[in-house]
Amino acid sequence: GDLYLDGIRDVAQYNRETFNIEQVEVLRGSAAMLFGRGQAGGVINQASKEPGLIDRGSVTATVGSNDYKRLTVDANQTLSKDTALRVTAMKTDAGSTRDHVQSEREGVAPTIRLGIGGTDEFSLGHYYLKTRNTLDYGVPYFNGRPLDVPASRFYGTTADFEDNTTHITTAGYKHRFSAETEIRSVLRYADYTRDLWGVAPRLPGGVTAITDATAINRNRQARGGHEETWTSQTDFTTRFVTGGLRHEVLAGLELLREAAGRWSYGTGIATLAPTTVGNPVANPALPPGYGNKNRFNVSTYTGFTTGVYAQDSIEFLPNWKVLLGTRYDKMDAEYSNGAQVDFGE
């Protein structure tokens, strides 16, 4: 709950990327007065790349060990004296020090800004990221330590996967009353899906010695999730001087609606046959129906949060400031555990 994207709370349950990130900002210390729930020790904010009034572009290709290949594109194009479009994109494929383990990522993020530097400024952007990874649960433990086997040895299967798909659409409006005073409003819709199917290697009970013929069970790990959020955030900021004191005032309203579902997959499906320590088979014969995504143990959550906040940063001596503020949050939430219902795709 302490991760933010452009000042708006960002769901934690997905794999992030850097191709559309301009910078990462770390705020240490208590931040609950400004950001609300969850911020006991600070927040991490990701600042996205924005269009600007300079035509420029770049293409970067990277290759590395373990079949690592990455291509990124960043293109900014002015469309008029106060309008610009920026598109970033990425494609990454990589292997691993572990046999049969692969990682694939692709993403694109177009953003348009209108009225840049003017009295009224609009922006609209969409962020898409898809990742597909081979699940790697490592090696079994024996007597409290990982098995002493080559690091490249893979005890999963090539059918194992973890898929994440993220869509984030953001619309923003800013009105400048003067050089010191403005109001900014942002509306964001985000959709996150996750699918995971794989095996975790475990030694059977009662094993007292390890040989190449020692059996390793493949315990199924299969689950998914879907989350949607709607966020509206409006901030009013102004700067002024009174009695020699410099004030920076912020007041705002945040509205957040969350809907989430979590579930397990594969009820009633046979487990995979065991493999062995010395000769793991990455392409075993799969039992009938293996990979069937019948959902069970579905848990759902819906929540609505309202936050109202105001603060004043007062500079009373050069480089010395005191911060005064308050925030009020109200959250209503409903949970359902184990319901036999469907929740999105």
Side-chain angles (χ1 to χ4, degrees):
D2 298 335
L3 295 171
Y4 284 73
L5 181 62
D6 301 320
I8 295 177
R9 187 186 305 275
D10 195 25
V11 168
Q13 300 299 321
Y14 73 100
N15 296 333
R16 287 169 172 79
E17 247 287 345
T18 60
F19 74 96
N20 194 49
I21 299 300
E22 189 71 43
Q23 64 186 34
V24 176
E25 302 161 345
V26 179
L27 176 62
R28 295 185 294 178
S30 177
M33 182 180 67
L34 182 58
F35 293 98
R37 74 180 199 231
Q39 285 64 47
V43 301
I44 297 174
N45 181 56
Q46 306 154 95
S48 300
K49 295 178 178 179
E50 291 188 334
L53 296 177
I54 299 177
D55 292 341
R56 61 181 180 180
S58 66
V59 178
T60 303
T62 307
V63 295
S65 57
N66 299 309
D67 295 324
Y68 181 88
K69 300 178 290 293
R70 180 177 175 89
L71 179 68
T72 61
V73 177
D74 185 353
N76 188 93
Q77 179 67 47
T78 56
L79 305 179
S80 70
K81 65 178 182 179
D82 63 357
T83 302
L85 172 68
R86 189 169 185 175
V87 179
T88 61
M90 172 276 306
K91 174 65 175 173
T92 302
D93 294 323
S96 169
T97 56
R98 190 95 65 196
D99 292 342
H100 306 290
V101 174
Q102 302 289 326
S103 174
E104 302 175 10
R105 302 195 300 275
E106 62 183 28
V108 62
T111 305
I112 188 170
R113 289 176 69 195
L114 304 89
I116 299 174
T119 302
D120 294 288
E121 181 177 316
F122 301 86
S123 65
L124 179 64
H126 184 76
Y127 178 85
Y128 163 77
L129 176 65
K130 182 175 179 61
T131 63
R132 183 176 179 88
N133 305 316
T134 305
L135 277 181
D136 180 10
Y137 276 95
V139 301
Y141 272 61
F142 179 68
N143 289 337
R145 297 177 61 85
L147 290 185
D148 185 13
V149 296
S152 61
R153 192 165 294 176
F154 179 54
Y155 291 105
T157 80
T158 55
D160 299 352
F161 68 87
E162 179 197 15
D163 287 350
N164 292 270
T165 303
T166 301
H167 291 275
I168 301 174
T169 301
T170 305
Y173 168 69
K174 182 184 294 184
H175 176 75
R176 298 179 175 91
F177 298 95
S178 66
E180 292 77 26
T181 305
E182 67 180 34
I183 188 169
R184 173 179 176 267
S185 185
V186 177
L187 177 64
R188 173 175 292 168
Y189 170 74
D191 182 283
Y192 314 86
T193 60
R194 185 186 187 197
D195 278 318
L196 181 153
W197 191 290
V199 294
R202 299 289 187 265
L203 291 172
V207 174
T208 58
I210 301 295
T211 68
D212 283 349
T214 301
I216 291 181
N217 293 330
R218 286 168 158 168
N219 297 342
R220 186 173 66 246
Q221 307 292 316
R223 53 188 177 271
H226 182 205
E227 186 155 352
E228 292 181 337
T229 62
W230 283 94
T231 307
S232 172
Q233 185 170 305
T234 301
D235 293 326
F236 173 82
T237 58
T238 186
R239 300 189 301 272
F240 57 90
V241 178
T242 58
L245 301 178
R246 298 181 180 273
H247 297 260
E248 295 181 9
V249 174
L250 165 67
L253 170 67
E254 178 185 356
L255 304 174
L256 172 63
R257 182 188 182 278
E258 302 166 284
R262 303 284 187 270
W263 52 79
S264 297
Y265 283 134
T267 178
I269 294 177
T271 58
L272 290 176
T275 188
T276 62
V277 170
N279 186 33
V281 178
N283 300 284
L286 302 178
Y290 191 82
N292 190 321
K293 293 185 178 180
N294 292 326
R295 300 176 183 178
F296 71 106
N297 288 340
V298 178
S299 298
T300 64
Y301 160 80
T302 57
F304 188 82
T305 302
T306 301
V308 182
Y309 48 91
Q311 69 176 45
D312 186 6
S313 176
I314 306 171
E315 185 176 17
F316 58 93
L317 290 173
N319 300 320
W320 286 86
K321 296 182 180 181
V322 60
L323 181 64
L324 304 175
T326 185
R327 176 168 177 137
Y328 172 78
D329 282 275
K330 180 180 180 181
M331 184 181 75
D332 293 319
E334 293 183 359
Y335 297 86
S336 175
N337 295 318
Q340 300 299 315
V341 297
D342 193 9
F343 186 89
E345 293 298 334

